[in-house]
Amino acid sequence: EIAHLGQQHTIGGELWDDLNTYGVYSLTFSEGGHATMQMHHWLEPPARDLSGTSAATRDEDDDDEAEEAPKGETTQLWYHPFPLTRNISPPDDVLLSDFEALLPLFHKILSEAVRRRVAHVPAPPSERIRDNEGRIGVLFSGGIDSIAIAALADKHIPIQHPIDLINVAFGNDDSSNFDSVPDRITAIRGHEELRAASPHRTWNLVKVNIGNAELDHACHNHVYRLSCPSNSMMDITISAALWFAARGIGYLHGDPSGSLYHTPARVLLMGNGADEQLGGYGRHRTAFRRGSWPAFQRELAKDLNRIWIRNLGRDDRIVSDWGREARFPFLDENVVRWLQGCPLWHVADLTQPMGEGDKRLLREMARRHLSLTASTLLAKKAIQFGSKVTKQLNRGKSQKDSKHFIAKPDVQT
């Protein structure tokens, strides 16, 4: 018997929900077979119960909209294991040398986070896997988050192992223009950047092309069930893109044979946590315009504290459906702790244009320490829009909601 806490969602007659990450959980089983769940908080016990989902909402914020927050709440919420230590407002004389001194430190700590996640990954249990076949993949849009992770992985993976850069694009069933999808364009350019920066590595750009029929079949109702209880329209579109990308079946860019390629990667690196900590969302700029640095900090704190319910549980369920493991270097404990100690105006400078001030620390580190060029100036484009999955999934529908993804009993999946 499974104990459930917080708001519960019914899937196929069963109740499921995500458990929060504000502590660790224990299960105590009685002689009668009943289970009691208890959360052990990271820090001091709270004045209110934060188990289950009671301390966060499963809302669907628009990327450009920031919520109004109560005045004075400028620090990280207490239940995060790494309390806020950074100063909120910049001094009058911000020194460029102070910012530049942070770049090698950030490079070192993020590189170590990637190393931990790519080291000693065993080959898949298959006789056909040879020692020179890849074991690591990167969910790859060509944007600054994924290309920085790929460039850092290159430093820690044996040179004879290829690295698979998996990019997904959606279009009509009869489309031959998948390479014109925005994320595909940046992925191809990013692939060329990585080849130039590390020419001795085999970089496999895996182009996953998904037509309408395959998309509809997967979403009714397999992807929906995996995504639940995160079942908003935004969740379903993101889940669909991640599910097909994690499957890892596509065509190798530049392969004249046109043969289907199946990635052997057992671990997929993802960029979750970069936008939440480095100011990558449009709503961060909205908050900054409304209330300067304190409002920007509140928005960052809110995003990081709810990432477990908005992203991580859903993405892990989606990726693991294919027997692969999602790993998140930007959410390494040491990376999070280090970023929490950085002056906020060095992490991001939202007085600068998009593609420059947002995620400023990451962009400049990638330029100086990873030999990346054009990708360091790309503005963020969410996967559901960059891959065009939202456009294809919503075609012909007057109401943009997720209820129509619940399959009828006679639908086979």
Side-chain angles (χ1 to χ4, degrees):
E1 181 177 334
I2 300 177
H4 303 280
L5 299 177
Q7 184 183 3
Q8 298 172 333
H9 299 256
T10 301
I11 310 172
E14 299 178 334
L15 293 175
W16 296 95
D17 201 13
D18 289 314
L19 293 179
N20 70 41
T21 56
Y22 307 151
V24 294
Y25 289 83
S26 64
L27 279 174
T28 302
F29 294 91
S30 66
E31 292 183 359
H34 297 288
T36 302
M37 180 177 291
Q38 180 181 2
M39 185 174 71
H40 308 274
H41 300 277
W42 295 116
L43 303 176
E44 292 299 320
R48 58 194 175 96
D49 180 24
L50 293 177
S51 58
T53 61
S54 57
T57 57
R58 198 183 297 279
D59 57 359
E60 186 176 358
D61 283 358
D62 186 274
D63 184 44
D64 293 324
E65 291 299 321
E67 297 176 1
E68 294 283 0
K71 293 182 179 179
E73 293 187 7
T74 59
T75 59
Q76 193 103 13
L77 300 180
W78 76 268
Y79 48 79
H80 195 272
F82 308 112
L84 180 69
T85 58
R86 65 161 68 107
N87 295 320
I88 296 298
S89 298
D92 294 334
D93 54 342
V94 176
L95 299 177
L96 180 61
S97 59
D98 291 342
F99 171 71
E100 292 177 336
L102 294 174
L103 299 178
L105 300 177
F106 185 41
H107 171 258
K108 180 179 179 180
I109 199 166
L110 186 58
S111 180
E112 174 61 17
V114 172
R115 186 199 66 78
R116 289 195 189 103
R117 286 156 178 80
V118 302
H120 311 301
V121 176
S126 171
E127 294 180 359
R128 70 178 182 85
I129 299 298
R130 299 183 296 272
D131 184 60
N132 64 345
E133 291 193 283
R135 303 171 190 183
I136 302 294
V138 181
L139 296 193
F140 190 74
S141 67
I144 184 60
D145 307 341
S146 60
I147 198 170
I149 288 175
L152 287 169
D154 173 60
K155 300 178 182 296
H156 303 294
I157 296 175
I159 196 63
Q160 71 270 22
H161 290 177
I163 297 177
D164 287 353
L165 310 172
I166 305 173
N167 177 266
V168 63
F170 295 83
N172 297 326
D173 292 324
D174 58 351
S175 175
S176 59
N177 297 320
F178 288 103
D179 282 2
S180 65
V181 171
D183 271 5
R184 179 62 52 76
I185 294 172
T186 55
I188 291 173
R189 292 173 179 170
H191 179 236
E192 293 303 317
E193 273 194 53
L194 289 170
R195 291 180 62 192
S198 182
H200 300 296
R201 169 78 61 186
T202 297
W203 298 97
N204 290 329
L205 177 58
V206 185
K207 301 194 295 188
V208 179
N209 301 332
I210 305 300
N212 293 335
E214 194 172 11
L215 174 62
D216 291 344
H217 180 76
C219 288
H220 294 79
N221 64 3
H222 187 67
V223 169
Y224 180 90
R225 291 172 65 88
L226 289 172
S227 185
C228 278
S230 301
N231 57 1
S232 69
M233 191 64 198
M234 181 183 70
D235 286 313
I236 300 304
T237 55
I238 295 173
S239 294
L242 293 179
W243 189 78
F244 282 109
R247 185 176 67 172
I249 301 177
Y251 301 92
L252 291 181
H253 181 64
D255 180 9
S257 72
S259 301
L260 271 178
Y261 174 82
H262 296 241
T263 181
R266 305 190 73 183
V267 166
L268 297 180
L269 301 178
M270 299 175 62
N272 297 48
D275 291 313
E276 288 81 359
Q277 297 180 87
L278 297 166
Y281 288 123
R283 60 177 173 270
H284 294 152
R285 287 184 175 273
T286 302
F288 184 78
R289 287 195 298 269
R290 287 176 177 173
S292 191
W293 297 100
F296 175 32
Q297 167 57 26
R298 286 196 298 268
E299 199 70 18
L300 288 176
K302 181 179 73 172
D303 278 340
L304 189 58
N305 281 317
R306 66 183 181 177
I307 192 173
W308 64 272
I309 194 171
R310 285 174 61 90
N311 301 85
L312 298 182
R314 176 199 67 202
D315 295 356
D316 185 67
R317 291 189 296 274
I318 293 295
V319 172
S320 62
D321 189 50
W322 292 110
R324 312 188 202 278
E325 181 173 297
R327 296 184 179 176
F328 313 105
F330 286 105
L331 293 174
D332 181 274
E333 290 186 4
N334 291 330
V335 172
V336 175
R337 184 183 291 110
W338 188 84
L339 286 173
Q340 291 293 295
C342 283
L344 185 56
W345 54 92
H346 290 326
V347 172
D349 181 2
L350 300 190
T351 64
Q352 300 299 314
M354 290 183 64
E356 296 182 26
D358 51 300
K359 297 187 278 194
R360 177 193 182 200
L361 188 65
L362 176 62
R363 294 179 189 279
E364 194 60 31
M365 184 276 287
R367 186 179 297 116
R368 298 197 189 188
H369 293 274
L370 301 178
S371 301
L372 299 177
T373 54
S375 60
T376 64
L377 297 174
L378 290 175
K380 175 182 172 56
K381 185 177 286 290
I383 187 174
Q384 64 268 37
F385 303 116
S387 67
K388 288 197 172 180
V389 63
T390 295
K391 177 181 179 180
Q392 295 306 118
L393 209 52
N394 283 332
R395 68 193 187 285
K397 296 181 176 67
S398 57
Q399 285 188 309
K400 306 299 188 292
D401 62 55
S402 60
K403 294 183 175 61
H404 55 269
F405 294 115
I406 306 175
K408 296 179 181 179
D410 59 344
V411 172
Q412 300 298 314
T413 60

